[in-house]
Amino acid sequence: MAKLFRAAIMGPPGSGKGTISRRIAQSFGLQYLSSGHFLRESIAANTEAGLLVRTYVERSMLVPDHLMTRLMLPRLEQLIGHSWLLDGFPRTLSQAREMNSLCQLDLVISLIIPYETLRERLSDRWSHPASGRVYNMGFNPPRVQGKDDITGEPLVQQDDDKPEALMARLRHYKDVAKPVIDLYKSQGILHSFSGTDTDRIWPYINSLLSTKMNTQPAGESRTRTP
Ligand code: G5P
Ligand code: MG
């Protein structure tokens, strides 16, 4: 039986985590778990936890660690025996430590994207709330303007993609991500990719994963796109 493979993707809002994760899941057959999607799902379900989560997400604030781990860890427990990719979790040192006590990651991808690029992308982003599918009017527009490709339902712009909310999200990201990145760097599993275009970064990630998934375990390495 093939060895299990556990990976996470980190990066600021709009860095392409979701876009790249979907490509990875499709190309390598990993189960894909997005913390943002689970949060929006719990908000849509109107549960008690969902109402609480809404107060943070709507203000572009990080959801407290205890709520996040309560949401994410049971899902990882259900996936024992599967290979998976996490998008957006862990995002704080506390979350990373909680997850470490349940399972160890084999590889972490960190996306480093200039602020101006992030701002342009997110101001043009629309999504389908029920599925989490995202579109960008320039990069990957829907087939019919304003409609989801699969269901035909209307697309919406998330409140936290508006410019003032975006600045707050970026500040939060920088502060909390640094110790997590340092942790994974010290474990030798961090791979950083910088650039402005997902399509130019993707071949490097694709090739890294092809190597790692066939020849684990491997030592520390860092990949930079030109
Ligand atoms: P999310 O949902 O995890 P963020 O803020 O981390 O949200 P986001 O916004 O989902 O990240 P992304 O997934 O990194 O961004 O990027 P994406 O959606 O793939 O791409 C962004 C846009 O750019 C899309 O329109 C895409 O089509 C386009 N695009 C991609 N590549 C290119 C390109 O090369 N060129 C162009 N032109 N466009 C491109 O979390 C939401 C909230 O939930 C909470 C927080 O409140 C967070 O704000 N949360 C947590 N709180 C605490 N702990 C956690 N672990 C949490 N996880 C989520
Ligand atoms: Mg995302």
Side-chain angles (χ1 to χ4, degrees), residues 181-197:
I181 284 174
D182 289 347
L183 173 72
Y184 293 134
K185 206 185 276 179
S186 75
Q187 292 178 352
I189 56 172
L190 184 81
H191 297 259
S192 301
F193 298 85
S194 41
T196 54
D197 297 311

Side-chain angles (χ1 to χ4, degrees), residues 15 29 46 61 71 91 103 115 124 143 162 170 192 196:
S15 56
N46 248 331
M61 290 170 65
L71 183 76
R91 205 174 290 223
C103 54
Y115 171 75
D124 225 7
R143 281 196 286 268
K162 300 190 177 143
L170 289 178
S192 301
T196 54

Side-chain angles (χ1 to χ4, degrees), residues 13-14 16-19 32 34 36-37 40 87-88 91 125 132 134 169:
K17 299 185 295 296
T19 306
Y32 166 45
S34 152
H37 180 62
R40 285 186 282 277
D87 163 6
R91 205 174 290 223
R125 174 166 70 167
V134 291
R169 289 162 79 195

Side-chain angles (χ1 to χ4, degrees), residues 163-185:
E164 52 301 353
L166 179 60
M167 274 308 287
R169 289 162 79 195
L170 289 178
R171 266 198 302 272
H172 272 301
Y173 176 77
K174 274 200 170 162
D175 291 346
V176 299
K178 188 170 182 316
V180 185
I181 284 174
D182 289 347
L183 173 72
Y184 293 134
K185 206 185 276 179

Side-chain angles (χ1 to χ4, degrees), residues 24-96:
I24 293 175
Q26 209 165 31
S27 303
F28 296 94
L30 302 180
Q31 300 268 343
Y32 166 45
L33 298 97
S34 152
S35 59
H37 180 62
F38 289 142
L39 288 170
R40 285 186 282 277
E41 213 174 56
S42 82
I43 292 171
N46 248 331
T47 57
E48 202 176 318
L51 291 174
L52 190 54
V53 161
R54 182 195 291 270
T55 63
Y56 292 95
V57 173
E58 278 184 351
R59 286 181 291 155
S60 308
M61 290 170 65
L62 288 182
V63 172
D65 290 332
H66 69 279
L67 282 179
M68 276 322 297
T69 49
R70 213 165 67 199
L71 183 76
M72 297 302 291
L73 295 190
R75 292 178 192 257
L76 294 181
E77 273 165 348
Q78 281 167 8
L79 287 180
I80 283 180
H82 292 266
S83 292
W84 43 251
L85 169 70
L86 277 172
D87 163 6
F89 183 91
R91 205 174 290 223
T92 67
L93 192 55
S94 158
Q95 291 175 17

Side-chain angles (χ1 to χ4, degrees), residues 81-128:
H82 292 266
S83 292
W84 43 251
L85 169 70
L86 277 172
D87 163 6
F89 183 91
R91 205 174 290 223
T92 67
L93 192 55
S94 158
Q95 291 175 17
R97 287 189 175 136
E98 285 280 333
M99 200 189 73
N100 256 9
S101 62
L102 181 70
C103 54
Q104 299 284 321
L105 290 172
D106 297 301
L107 180 136
V108 176
I109 293 166
S110 167
L111 300 175
I112 302 166
I113 313 293
Y115 171 75
E116 205 36 45
T117 307
L118 299 176
R119 195 187 58 72
E120 278 169 20
R121 280 185 195 173
L122 293 182
S123 56
D124 225 7
R125 174 166 70 167
W126 293 77
S127 64
H128 176 243

Side-chain angles (χ1 to χ4, degrees), residues 19 73 108 114 144 148 201 208 217:
T19 306
L73 295 190
V108 176
V144 176
D148 177 52
I201 291 174
L208 171 74

